[in-house]
Amino acid sequence: MEKKRINEEKKMTVRAAERALDILLCFVQQSQLGLTEIAKQTKLNKSTVFRLLATLENKGFVKRDPETDKYQLGFRIWELAANLDQSNDPAILFLPEMESLRDELDETVSLYIRDGNERIRIQAVESKQAIRRVAPIGARMPLAVGASSKVLMAYADPKVVDQILNDPMWPSGVNKEVYVAQLNQIRQEGYAISIEEREAGTAAVAVPIFNRRKQLIAALAVSGPVSRMNVQKMIDFVPHMVRAAEQMGKKIG
């Protein structure tokens, strides 16, 4: 009986930890959130969220703005981030080349990696032009559309590609045979182009970044409004992007 009680307590502890982490993950997309918003995103009742937020606040992981009654990440998060090993972090290592490429092409430059069935923008350097592509870091996007998605898929392990293509969440509007043909073309040409595939009014071109062992690290993308980013201009961008990607790849062991 005692053993059963201990096991149940362990399960409850793990569940509480998962819920607390789910709350912290809500702040990936937004910097400030209210109790109701967090409860809706985590699908937990307000009383549970309130108790967990109180614990997180007590430990310094979140803080509440008394004027707006909204929560945001606390100082403990930044303390943890300060101890990240940045010696092999693409988001840090590649930033100088991304800034140089932005200045050279005068469009927004982004860096993407694959995480499961999504891609994540881990770094971005926005264009200095008045009308530009706004690229929030940390944004998650589907792998079915977009130049960067197709680059990440084109050079992924075939087993990974099969798994993602056969995922029940794969959008019905994206033809798998056409998509696979596009991946083959990307491997032949070394780049991908997308025009208003994911977002109206936006175009992008992407190339792969490989490390010294020819393993895919990330996708490097240049994006902007379709009024400036026509197909020929994006193709003209490719040699500049490939050179930058090669320099980036040399930095990764």
Side-chain angles (χ1 to χ4, degrees), residues 216-227:
L216 181 68
I217 298 299
L220 176 67
V222 174
S223 59
V226 292
S227 58

Side-chain angles (χ1 to χ4, degrees), residues 69-246:
D69 205 29
K70 289 195 172 185
Y71 294 85
Q72 60 189 52
L73 294 177
F75 66 92
R76 286 293 180 190
I77 295 292
W78 310 119
E79 289 183 1
L80 289 174
N83 289 313
L84 277 172
D85 181 9
Q86 298 180 354
S87 62
N88 227 26
D89 183 354
I92 303 300
L93 290 177
F94 298 168
L95 189 55
E97 283 78 12
M98 293 178 67
E99 291 175 337
S100 296
L101 188 63
R102 183 273 313 275
D103 294 341
E104 186 178 3
L105 304 181
D106 204 14
E107 296 292 354
T108 295
V109 179
S110 300
L111 189 69
Y112 294 92
I113 61 170
R114 183 183 66 82
D115 182 30
N117 291 8
E118 297 175 306
R119 61 176 160 118
I120 306 176
R121 184 185 290 117
I122 62 170
Q123 188 59 279
V125 181
E126 292 185 5
S127 168
K128 296 178 182 179
Q129 300 202 53
I131 300 175
R132 61 183 181 271
R133 173 78 171 87
V134 178
I137 297 172
R140 287 178 173 268
M141 289 154 252
L143 288 170
V145 293
S148 297
S149 292
K150 292 173 185 175
V151 162
L152 292 172
M153 288 284 280
Y155 297 96
D157 187 290
K159 293 181 180 179
V160 172
V161 177
D162 288 340
Q163 177 186 341
I164 293 173
L165 287 174
N166 292 311
D167 190 298
M169 298 302 292
W170 182 267
S172 58
V174 180
N175 185 293
K176 293 182 182 180
E177 292 184 1
V178 172
Y179 187 88
V180 170
Q182 291 174 337
L183 299 186
N184 292 332
Q185 183 177 357
I186 291 166
R187 283 191 289 270
Q188 292 175 4
E189 298 180 343
Y191 67 90
I193 284 176
S194 64
I195 299 176
E196 297 187 298
E197 284 190 13
R198 194 187 64 83
E199 186 177 343
T202 301
V205 53
V207 300
I209 301 174
F210 300 104
N211 64 14
R212 295 177 182 178
R213 291 181 289 176
K214 303 302 179 184
Q215 297 169 322
L216 181 68
I217 298 299
L220 176 67
V222 174
S223 59
V226 292
S227 58
R228 293 197 303 264
M229 300 272 289
N230 58 46
V231 173
Q232 186 54 55
K233 188 170 185 179
M234 287 191 281
I235 292 175
D236 292 341
F237 281 173
V238 171
H240 303 273
M241 296 174 65
V242 169
R243 283 196 295 270
E246 288 174 350

